[in-house]
Amino acid sequence: VVNDLSVERNGIVVDMLVHAPGDEACCPTLPYLRRFTLEEGRLAEGPAVDTARLFPYQLGGLYGYVNGLGQWVVRPQFTFAGRFSEGMALISFDGNLFGFIDQQGRLAIPAQFAFATPFEGGLSVAAVPAQEEGATPRTVYIDRRGANVFGTVSFAFGLPFSEGLAALQFDDGMFGYIDRLGNIAIPASYDYALPFSEGLAPVLSGELVGYIDRTGNPAISAQYTQAGDFRGGLAPATVGGGS
């Protein structure tokens, strides 16, 4: 339902009501602004309200995005809506496949992944659904276009890059690290591995956790049952049943 339409110097603004989740077909209730500008002879839609910071908000069981003033920028239509990171937000229409939208609510990367991490340093770690029944998803590293930055190479499992390296699991089940070019920086020789923090990364060998440096050399011997990230020179660790 169009409440008002105005023509301004820089475009057309439509003040309208659209259907919120649960609205009857006759009676939309959700206020929504749309702005159109003329670009190269065609009308193009742009943001009608402030989009500097957007927040996921649930209405009637579906998620959309509002700005800091509580204005709807992206109407409720998602079963999952993550926070924005580097101008992109992870969304899902059905809870099964995930993609990304930009801050105008446009679908930037189609919903095609089993899951994905927020963008960090221009990359997201995404899980490609298995093509065969019983198989597990494959991990790829995608850019802002949704393209695999390593071509056709995929991994059994992977974590986001930290300090230039990413921990991942190879097909033999062991963990190692790659650099941002996809080269093996630290060979796969661990039962599990976590990201680097302050130059050190916790790695599991057998039943004990130790720390390695960025060259893969042991920095703290494997002696803990659990260990976490370093922050300000300290990291939480558990020896036996205590900390």
Side-chain angles (χ1 to χ4, degrees), residues 218-236:
I220 301 175
S221 62
Q223 56 189 292
Y224 310 108
T225 53
Q226 297 181 39
D229 294 343
F230 273 90
R231 293 291 183 270
L234 298 176

Side-chain angles (χ1 to χ4, degrees), residues 29-176:
T29 62
L30 183 66
Y32 195 59
L33 288 177
R34 300 179 71 183
R35 180 187 297 275
F36 300 88
T37 57
L38 193 63
E39 297 180 6
E40 298 180 353
R42 300 180 62 184
L43 283 176
E45 187 168 4
V49 293
D50 177 31
T51 61
R53 293 193 66 190
L54 300 182
F55 307 91
Y57 192 83
Q58 187 179 31
L59 179 66
L62 292 177
Y63 289 89
Y65 290 85
V66 298
N67 62 15
L69 300 176
Q71 299 168 311
W72 285 102
V73 177
V74 182
R75 64 182 180 85
Q77 57 192 289
F78 311 114
T79 59
F80 175 89
R83 291 190 173 273
F84 275 87
S85 174
E86 299 185 0
M88 307 271 275
L90 182 69
I91 56 87
S92 176
F93 295 99
D94 60 7
N96 295 315
L97 294 177
F98 294 79
F100 289 87
I101 60 169
D102 63 20
Q103 288 184 287
Q104 281 72 57
R106 296 181 296 235
L107 193 61
I109 299 176
Q112 57 186 307
F113 301 107
F115 199 70
T117 64
F119 272 88
E120 185 176 354
L123 296 178
S124 168
V125 185
V128 178
Q131 300 299 311
E132 300 178 2
E133 186 176 352
T136 57
R138 301 287 296 179
T139 294
V140 296
Y141 291 78
I142 61 172
D143 61 20
R144 294 171 61 85
R145 300 170 301 160
N148 183 351
V149 297
F150 300 133
T152 60
V153 177
S154 63
F155 305 95
F157 176 74
L159 296 173
F161 277 87
S162 177
E163 300 185 4
L165 299 176
L168 49 82
Q169 184 183 35
F170 291 86
D171 289 339
D172 63 0
M174 302 301 287
F175 282 76

